[in-house]
Amino acid sequence: MQYITRSSEGVLISTKGKHKIIGSGLISYIDAMCIDNLSTYDGRKQAAKKLLNEKSNLPIYVNEKVFLYPTKSLRDFSVFFINYFEVLSIKKISNLEVEINYDDLSKIIVQANYSKLSRQHDRINLILEQIGGI
């Protein structure tokens, strides 16, 4: 999975250029993925809060292949949850646009602040160091 985002029909899931829509809420879908890995969205969120000593826009570790981070506030309909493990690089397009390049050489452009996304990558690296580098 490269990213997930809201759509008018539920949740759009992008995997290697293929899109699938699931009739679910965004957080409900992430929660279900966490539950499949013996945790919950809230449990992962609380752990990230403690490890990072921060309160908002927290990255969510799901499993060894999925580590999601939001591109903006969860309240924003157009938020994307990017899978860190699939990202090759991020590139600033403008003050409000960022290009995300994936390891399969596909890319998307999202409405986001580059420095915030770069900080998300730093936060995830910190968590991975603290939990043993997975």
Side-chain angles (χ1 to χ4, degrees), residues 8-22:
S8 57
E9 296 88 24
V11 177
L12 181 136
I13 304 155
S14 178
T15 305
K16 306 289 183 202
K18 296 179 183 172
H19 302 301
K20 179 168 70 170
I21 295 179
I22 303 290

Side-chain angles (χ1 to χ4, degrees), residues 13-63:
I13 304 155
S14 178
T15 305
K16 306 289 183 202
K18 296 179 183 172
H19 302 301
K20 179 168 70 170
I21 295 179
I22 303 290
S24 172
L26 183 62
I27 300 305
S28 296
Y29 181 77
I30 296 170
D31 189 47
M33 286 192 306
C34 290
I35 288 170
D36 286 345
N37 290 281
L38 304 176
S39 186
T40 63
Y41 172 79
D42 285 331
R44 300 291 189 176
K45 184 174 153 185
Q46 292 302 318
K49 271 185 185 182
K50 287 185 181 186
L51 285 171
L52 296 170
N53 197 27
E54 295 191 34
K55 296 181 181 182
S56 62
N57 292 335
L58 296 164
I60 303 297
Y61 175 81
V62 177
N63 60 40

Side-chain angles (χ1 to χ4, degrees), residues 74-105:
L74 296 177
R75 293 183 188 109
D76 192 320
F77 183 82
S78 64
V79 65
F80 280 71
F81 271 85
I82 306 297
N83 183 4
Y84 169 84
F85 290 138
E86 299 276 331
V87 174
L88 183 61
S89 66
I90 59 174
K91 177 183 171 186
K92 181 178 180 176
I93 301 294
S94 71
N95 286 338
L96 299 175
E97 290 185 323
V98 177
E99 180 180 279
I100 300 173
N101 297 288
Y102 290 100
D103 57 9
D104 70 348
L105 303 181

